[in-house]
């Protein structure tokens, strides 16, 4: 991608003023780190509240009499079973049950839903959804919003001080607190937290208020990655791709049981066939011995030197206090305690299959 095609965040000037170091991600120029550095940013989020600009992600409003039916076709989802304001983690699948993208769908009204899609796939997701929508009485609207996340145990208190009450909003729910605002309680860190989609002028005012609070710090993409990896959460394009199905990815919990048997979503037959014969590989947590991180792309081998899988995400876990990774291992090996070796530039690093997450989740569920 040439520099000219790079997309810029609406609040880029604020990140520049905050001393952000920028890098390319999914076609966007994104703040990777701020002066505090990745280690401090990571730990600050776990202990206090981290503020993330996630405006590279895309919000779609799907509305109309056919909205639920469209989403049931596009995703392994029972849209009609969602309560108003309930959110659900789900996917767009292709005909082979490969994951085109993972998404969060929130029911806003009887026939209105909000779909939050990933940056790297926003264009493809929109094309996919609009092509399917042609068969339904539905309107798909891509919203132009700044999208912020605030994550960590003090996130609710910082929002409250900034004049935004969160008390009645529980984990995996979303509401429209003001006109053109969307606020959900979930997060990509394993901590309690919120995402707020809102117009740019409102976002600038909110950011200014939030940053007056010493508990709140801007957090870059580097710490977002180490936080989600410790929490055992997938990054689309690495841990899940159009070549990986939900059974292999260990994400079948996101698909209601009755839909596995009888759903008519795209990829349903392929997924049933995979479930019948059993997935050949499984997503696993990986804990390297020693202090050297094992990165995405490293091959995994068993004790006899046979190919056993590969690493899809890896780095150092500041809260865990040791290197952490995720990847795929052939199903017979994919259980905690199995000892494998990762090939890092010709050196065999011992690595244990570990249960996920590396750091316990602390969502506010009730």
């Amino acid at each position: 991608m040439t520099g000219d095609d790079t997309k810029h965040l609406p609040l880029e000037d604020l990140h520049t003023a905050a001393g952000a170091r920028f890098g390319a991600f999914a076609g966007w120029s994104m703040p990777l780190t701020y002066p505090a550095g990745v280690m401090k940013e990571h730990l600050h989020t776990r202990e206090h509240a981290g503020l993330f600009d996630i405006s590279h992600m895309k919000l779609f409003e799907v509305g109309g009499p056919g909205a639920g039916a469209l989403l049931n076709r596009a995703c392994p989802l029972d849209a009609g079973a969602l309560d108003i304001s309930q959110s659900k983690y789900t996917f767009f699948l292709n005909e082979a049950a490969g994951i085109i993208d993972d998404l969060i769908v929130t029911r806003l009204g009887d026939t209105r839903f909000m779909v939050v899609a990933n940056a790297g796939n926003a264009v493809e997701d929109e094309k996919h959804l609009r092509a399917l929508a042609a068969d339904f009485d539905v309107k798909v609207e891509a919203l132009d919003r700044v999208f912020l996340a605030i994550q960590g145990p003090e996130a609710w208190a910082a929002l409250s001080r900034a004049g935004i009450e969160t008390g009645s909003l529980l984990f995996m729910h979303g509401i429209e607190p003001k006109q053109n605002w969307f606020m959900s309680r979930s997060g990509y860190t394993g901590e309690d937290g919120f995402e707020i989609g809102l117009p740019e002028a409102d976002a600038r005012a909110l950011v200014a208020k939030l940053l007056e609070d010493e508990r709140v710090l801007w957090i870059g993409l580097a710490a977002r990655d180490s936080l989600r990896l410790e929490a055992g959460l997938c990054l689309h394009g690495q841990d899940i791709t159009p070549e990986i199905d939900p059974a292999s990815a260990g994400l079948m919990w996101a698909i209601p049981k009755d839909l596995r048997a009888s759903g008519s979503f795209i990829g349903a037959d392929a997924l049933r066939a995979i479930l019948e014969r059993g997935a050949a590989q499984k997503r696993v947590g990986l804990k390297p011995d020693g202090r050297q991180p094992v990165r995405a792309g490293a091959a995994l081998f068993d004790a006899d030197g046979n190919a056993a899988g590969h690493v899809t995400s890896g780095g150092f876990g500041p809260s865990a206090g040791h290197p952490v990774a995720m990847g795929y291992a052939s199903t017979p090996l994919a259980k905690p305690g199995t000892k494998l070796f990762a090939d890092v530039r010709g050196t065999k690093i011992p690595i244990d299959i570990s249960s996920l997450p590396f750091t316990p989740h602390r969502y506010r569920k009730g």
Side-chain angles (χ1 to χ4, degrees):
M1 185 166 270
T2 64
D4 309 337
D5 297 333
T6 303
K7 300 192 195 76
H8 292 267
L9 299 171
L11 306 184
E12 184 174 69
D13 58 309
L14 300 184
H15 302 298
T16 302
R21 190 170 66 79
F22 289 86
F25 176 76
W28 290 77
S29 173
M30 294 293 293
L32 300 183
T33 57
Y34 296 87
V38 63
M39 195 86 168
K40 278 214 176 84
E41 290 172 39
H42 177 112
L43 294 171
H44 187 92
T45 305
R46 292 255 184 265
E47 288 158 21
H48 304 290
L51 181 61
F52 303 76
D53 189 339
I54 53 171
S55 305
H56 59 311
M57 296 180 72
K58 199 73 203 159
L59 296 162
F60 297 102
E61 191 178 316
V62 179
L70 165 62
L71 290 171
N72 291 349
R73 175 74 184 128
C75 309
L77 178 74
D78 184 352
L82 294 178
D83 294 331
I84 304 288
S85 91
Q86 189 181 355
S87 304
K88 181 93 176 78
Y89 177 76
T90 188
F91 325 97
F92 286 155
L93 300 178
N94 58 30
E95 290 292 358
I99 300 172
I100 296 172
D101 202 3
D102 60 336
L103 328 146
I104 291 183
V105 173
T106 303
R107 189 173 192 180
L108 296 175
D110 285 344
T111 59
R112 284 178 64 236
F113 297 83
M114 187 70 80
V115 177
V116 178
N118 290 308
N121 297 11
V123 173
E124 195 181 333
D125 288 348
E126 186 170 356
K127 274 211 293 243
H128 181 70
L129 199 53
R130 288 194 190 284
L132 293 175
D135 296 333
F136 297 88
D137 182 4
V138 66
K139 183 173 171 228
V140 175
E141 191 184 356
L143 302 180
D144 185 20
R145 299 283 185 271
V146 168
F147 203 29
L148 302 169
I150 180 163
Q151 299 279 305
E154 294 178 341
W156 68 273
L159 282 173
S160 175
R161 185 194 259 186
I164 294 171
E165 286 309 325
T166 62
S168 59
L169 186 63
L170 291 179
F171 178 66
M172 290 306 280
H173 284 73
I175 54 171
E176 295 171 288
K178 304 180 185 185
Q179 194 178 358
N180 294 326
W181 283 46
F182 171 69
M183 180 161 88
S184 54
R185 190 168 200 160
S186 67
Y188 198 44
T189 57
E191 300 297 327
D192 182 28
F194 304 84
E195 298 76 41
I196 306 173
L198 70 178
E200 184 182 332
D202 292 354
R204 287 180 179 272
L206 177 59
V207 164
K209 273 191 203 153
L210 286 170
L211 291 175
E212 285 169 10
D213 192 323
E214 68 286 349
R215 295 172 292 194
V216 180
L217 202 63
W218 274 124
I219 309 294
L221 217 54
R224 183 172 158 84
D225 197 52
S226 57
L227 288 158
R228 68 95 194 162
L229 182 50
E230 282 186 347
L233 302 172
C234 293
L235 174 61
H236 196 279
Q238 283 187 208
D239 310 298
I240 45 178
T241 68
E243 286 71 55
I244 302 262
D245 62 88
S248 306
L251 296 172
M252 288 304 297
W253 57 266
I255 303 180
K257 285 204 170 56
D258 54 339
L259 287 189
R260 297 176 200 183
S262 62
S264 56
F265 54 89
I266 293 171
D269 292 342
L271 186 58
R272 281 192 268 276
I274 292 163
L275 290 170
E276 264 170 46
R277 67 171 181 266
Q281 55 171 6
K282 286 274 165 77
R283 180 172 63 96
V284 292
L286 298 163
K287 182 178 183 290
D289 272 10
R291 306 293 289 172
Q292 182 176 356
V294 171
R295 306 281 178 193
L300 298 172
F301 298 92
D302 67 13
D304 300 324
N306 303 308
H310 64 285
V311 177
T312 52
S313 282
F316 188 76
S319 305
H322 56 74
V324 293
M326 275 198 298
Y328 285 81
S330 55
T331 301
L333 300 172
K335 42 190 181 288
T338 302
K339 293 196 177 307
L340 298 175
F341 294 88
D343 183 345
V344 178
R345 292 184 293 280
T347 305
K348 295 279 193 290
I349 305 259
I351 197 164
D352 285 345
I353 292 186
S354 160
S355 52
L356 293 168
F358 295 102
T359 300
H361 293 169
R362 298 196 293 183
Y363 302 126
R364 184 169 172 266
K365 295 191 174 180

